[in-house]
Amino acid sequence: MADGLSILTVMFSGAMFGFFFAWTSSTLWGLDRTAPEVAIVAMQAMNSAVRNPVFGLAFFGTPPLMVLTTAVLFWRGRRPAALLMALASLLYLGGALIVTVAVNVPMNEALAALAPGSGGSATHQWEDYSEPWQRANLVRTCASGGALFLAAMALHVSHRGRPRWT
């Protein structure tokens, strides 16, 4: 059971890292290369589309899955693996989930309320949105990547019984 949960946790962590990485490495850069009016409308559509059960399961399901995996590893006496998984949980919670809820979602909601060009030029609206959103997303990408690494290390340590570096 511990190995199965660990594998599932690595998969969910990988899905979230990949999601955030895609935004970091292509999506916003691509939108920055379009006309601001187009970028705003496209981002509004993507933000609306991401609110779906598939994303919700991965995004909101990863933290409880990590906590459950941590508990099972601990109860099975795999304390080094449990510690790594607990660190992965904290990193994902603080760097991905909380940043999303505190920074990216409010920015997305403010962008959703805009009509491109209303209340100022679309260029200024997009510039005010894109750069800070990308900075916050980079935090989410790094945090979820670190959480993925720690979850994978927990699986490795749990399976091997001890860290390879000792």
Side-chain angles (χ1 to χ4, degrees), residues 32-115:
D32 283 345
R33 292 180 179 177
T34 66
E37 297 84 1
V38 172
I40 291 169
V41 171
M43 191 66 170
Q44 288 169 332
M46 287 184 275
N47 286 334
S48 174
V50 80
R51 294 178 180 172
N52 65 68
V54 175
F55 174 77
L57 177 63
F59 182 71
F60 293 110
T62 298
L65 183 59
M66 288 177 151
V67 170
L68 176 63
T69 304
T70 299
V72 169
L73 288 167
F74 184 80
W75 289 326
R76 297 276 183 149
R78 300 178 186 179
R79 285 175 176 61
L83 176 61
L84 288 166
M85 193 63 74
L87 292 172
S89 302
L90 292 172
L91 187 56
Y92 182 84
L93 279 169
L97 193 128
I98 290 174
V99 169
T100 298
V101 171
V103 179
N104 295 88
V105 168
M107 290 184 72
N108 293 344
E109 289 173 353
L111 188 73
L114 289 179

Side-chain angles (χ1 to χ4, degrees), residues 132-158:
W133 194 96
Q134 288 185 61
R135 278 194 306 271
N137 191 65
L138 183 58
V139 171
R140 300 186 309 174
T141 302
C142 292
S144 60
L148 171 60
F149 174 78
L150 290 168
M153 288 305 300
L155 175 62
H156 175 74
V157 167
S158 175

